[in-house]
């Protein structure tokens, strides 16, 4: 598959107006995507758990307009007009226009809402861009009704990637790989695929409690962050490490070895932050409470032998990961010992989910 495969031929039907709604989840990377080339091509493969509760629901209404000279759309978040979202969506539309050439033929109304608070520090770009990509694919399917389902999902992921890299991992499946990896058949830099191999029941219903340590605006935008990997002194080693961690995870998913899983996932989180600390300019995105939580998790794990671990995204919040059969004790520990470190005591209980849904 190359980019060319996603350029459509003539449409078989025409459509005047309509509306589609998709609900799409966020995801949390186990092996991190950090560093990209031109056209949203990742420097290394990544894999993520799809989440279940943290979702964006988007309704895209469209009506044919007279002139097709420019993009025309309005954006609403929770019924409030959000003109400050427009530049990002315009950039997205520009990037995907050759793959969905009807964009300038319609006026769009994009109505979106998140299950998590906008200011929670949880990035809505993965769930938001994937929901929007799926709505656009629904229009495309109206124009080409004989489109196979697999192609629908693959192209939705391809488009979502052009909105935000991690968004391509939020379309379909509970474990999603994005980026070419020699040991993973079908993996591609262009779109995410469902992890194709055996996954041990230990990972069924895996839990993710998100501790909101800092709900402020992101200190480093993802674009700036990824750029820091250009000319980074440890870039090549980091990209190699991601390949090798993904190789190791193949065996871990098969055998259900939770101790090995914990080691890889925590090391990935700390490597991501190590990259930020050692770039120029450099950043420390963890807060004192992030470190307190990490140390508490390590202590608790040592004392109880339970399989609780953490991962981080590009911020101070902590994702606490644990298997479903240990949920009761771990949740008790979270409530008693960790919630005190969250801003206003806020946390979100989530777990592994299965991807986007049309409503
Ligand atoms: C740290 O997908 O937000 O969460 O492609 O620039 O939109 P853009 O970046 P984005 O980066 C996510 C980085 C990460 C790790 C990950 O999700 O793999």
């Amino acid at each position: 598959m190359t980019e060319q495969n996603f350029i459509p031929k003539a449409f078989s039907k025409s459509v005047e107006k309509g509306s589609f709604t998709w609900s799409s989840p966020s995801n949390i990377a186990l092996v991190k995507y950090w560093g990209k080339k031109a056209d949203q091509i990742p420097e290394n493969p990544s894999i993520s758990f799809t989440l279940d509760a943290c979702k964006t629901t988007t309704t895209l209404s469209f009506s044919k307009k007279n002139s097709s000279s420019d993009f025309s759309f309005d954006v609403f978040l929770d019924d409030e007009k959000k003109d400050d979202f427009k530049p990002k969506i315009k950039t997205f539309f520009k990037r995907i226009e050759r793959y969905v050439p009807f964009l300038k033929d319609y006026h769009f109304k994009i109505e979106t809402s998140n299950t998590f608070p906008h200011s929670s520090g949880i990035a809505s770009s993965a769930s938001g861009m994937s929901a929007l990509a799926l709505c656009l694919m629904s229009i495309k399917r109206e124009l080409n009704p004989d489109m196979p389902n697999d192609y629908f999902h693959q192209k939705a992921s391809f488009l979502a990637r052009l909105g935000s890299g991690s968004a391509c991992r939020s379309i379909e499946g509970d474990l999603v790989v994005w980026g070419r990896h020699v040991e993973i058949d079908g993996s591609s830099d262009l779109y995410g695929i469902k992890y194709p191999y055996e996954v041990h029941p230990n990972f069924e219903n895996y839990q993710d409690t998100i501790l909101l340590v800092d709900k402020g605006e992101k200190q480093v935008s993802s674009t700036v962050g990824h750029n820091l990997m250009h000319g980074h002194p440890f870039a090549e080693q980091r990209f190699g490490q991601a390949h090798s961690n993904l190789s190791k995870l193949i065996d871990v998913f098969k055998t259900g070895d939770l101790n090995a899983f914990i080691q890889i996932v925590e090391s990935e989180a700390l490597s991501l932050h190590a990259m930020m600390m050692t770039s120029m300019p450099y950043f420390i995105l963890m807060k004192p409470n992030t470190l307190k939580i990490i140390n508490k998790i390590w202590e608790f794990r040592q004392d109880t032998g339970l399989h609780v671990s953490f991962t981080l995204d590009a911020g101070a919040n902590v994702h606490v990961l644990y298997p479903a059969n240990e949920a009761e004790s771990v949740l008790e520990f979270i409530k008693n010992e960790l919630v005190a470190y969250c801003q206003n005591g806020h946390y979100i209980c989530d777990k592994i989910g299965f991807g986007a849904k049309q409503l």
Side-chain angles (χ1 to χ4, degrees):
M1 275 284 191
T2 68
E3 272 101 343
Q4 293 302 320
N5 294 84
F6 295 102
I7 296 179
K9 301 184 186 79
F11 297 123
S12 55
K13 283 179 67 178
S14 84
V15 183
E16 282 304 305
K17 59 181 183 155
S19 140
F20 291 104
T21 302
W22 278 88
S23 167
S24 195
S26 184
N27 66 71
I28 180 68
L30 306 170
V31 171
K32 308 289 180 182
Y33 149 56
W34 197 243
K36 60 179 166 187
K37 303 177 203 160
D39 300 325
Q40 296 282 103
I41 297 299
E43 290 276 13
N44 64 260
S46 57
I47 186 165
S48 52
F49 276 154
T50 306
L51 294 182
D52 187 52
C54 290
K55 289 188 283 219
T56 298
T57 298
T58 297
T59 297
L60 181 68
S61 313
F62 56 99
S63 51
K64 261 258 161 72
K65 58 185 175 69
N66 295 331
S67 118
S68 47
S69 56
D70 204 359
F71 302 118
S72 164
F73 61 95
D74 291 310
V75 199
F76 298 83
L77 174 68
D78 299 328
D79 298 323
E80 201 183 306
K81 203 158 185 266
K82 279 282 180 189
D83 285 340
D84 48 328
F85 285 14
K86 288 184 92 170
K88 197 159 184 203
I89 294 175
K90 193 164 179 184
T91 305
F92 177 47
F93 279 3
K94 276 192 202 148
R95 284 188 194 153
I96 62 172
E97 198 189 357
R98 44 193 304 243
Y99 308 108
V100 274
F102 53 79
L103 285 181
K104 284 183 179 155
D105 299 342
Y106 296 101
H107 174 75
F108 296 102
K109 183 176 181 196
I110 303 165
E111 292 167 285
T112 187
S113 64
N114 298 322
T115 55
F116 47 91
H118 183 57
S119 58
S120 60
I122 297 182
S124 56
S125 64
S127 51
M129 285 298 176
S130 54
L132 185 53
L134 283 157
C135 290
L136 290 169
M137 283 307 292
S138 287
I139 301 180
K140 190 157 179 289
R141 186 154 57 186
E142 285 270 293
L143 299 167
N144 274 136
D146 49 4
M147 180 190 301
N149 235 349
D150 282 357
Y151 181 82
F152 179 94
H153 287 116
Q154 194 177 65
K155 182 155 172 180
S157 176
F158 174 88
L159 296 178
R161 181 195 101 242
L162 292 167
S164 176
S166 56
C168 78
R169 299 188 311 235
S170 278
I171 302 288
E172 202 194 14
D174 45 359
L175 257 179
V176 181
V177 179
W178 167 41
R180 181 74 197 132
H181 187 281
V182 280
E183 287 166 66
I184 302 185
D185 286 344
S187 59
S188 168
D189 285 348
L190 299 179
Y191 45 80
I193 61 161
K194 279 201 243 180
Y195 177 72
Y197 304 130
E198 193 181 337
V199 179
H200 192 277
N202 279 354
F203 296 101
E204 255 167 45
N205 229 351
Y206 221 78
Q207 307 286 302
D208 177 5
T209 301
I210 309 165
L211 304 179
L212 304 177
V213 171
D214 181 28
K215 301 196 267 173
E217 277 290 303
K218 273 194 187 174
Q219 216 187 99
V220 187
S221 76
S222 59
T223 311
V224 171
H226 289 289
N227 277 337
L228 295 172
M229 291 308 285
H230 292 139
H232 190 294
F234 307 136
E236 289 315 311
Q237 291 91 327
R238 163 60 201 150
F239 304 144
Q241 178 193 42
H243 279 271
S244 109
N245 279 339
L246 193 42
S247 295
K248 288 183 196 153
L249 275 183
I250 296 173
D251 198 47
V252 166
F253 285 134
K254 190 167 159 193
T255 59
D257 183 344
L258 290 177
N259 294 325
F261 175 78
I262 290 169
Q263 222 176 38
I264 294 166
V265 166
E266 291 190 347
S267 162
E268 273 290 318
L270 295 177
S271 293
L272 168 72
H273 281 253
M275 288 303 109
M276 296 183 224
M277 288 191 233
T278 50
S279 56
M280 192 56 78
Y282 40 79
F283 297 93
I284 300 182
L285 298 188
M286 291 188 219
K287 298 280 182 203
N289 282 351
T290 312
L291 281 176
K292 289 204 178 110
I293 290 168
I294 291 174
N295 280 306
K296 282 274 179 192
I297 289 174
W298 285 346
E299 246 173 60
F300 178 78
R301 195 162 73 215
Q302 180 87 42
D303 293 349
T304 61
L306 293 176
H307 298 93
V308 55
S309 62
F310 72 87
T311 188
L312 307 166
D313 51 22
N317 295 336
V318 182
H319 288 248
V320 186
L321 303 175
Y322 46 102
N325 64 359
E326 297 178 6
E328 208 180 317
S329 318
V330 176
L331 210 50
E332 192 65 17
F333 156 68
I334 291 174
K335 285 183 192 154
N336 293 338
E337 309 244 5
L338 303 185
V339 166
Y341 300 115
C342 299
Q343 208 177 343
N344 307 323
H346 283 168
Y347 64 99
I348 298 172
C349 285
D350 210 335
K351 62 179 169 89
I352 195 164
F354 295 93
K357 285 195 190 78
Q358 185 167 12
L359 303 179

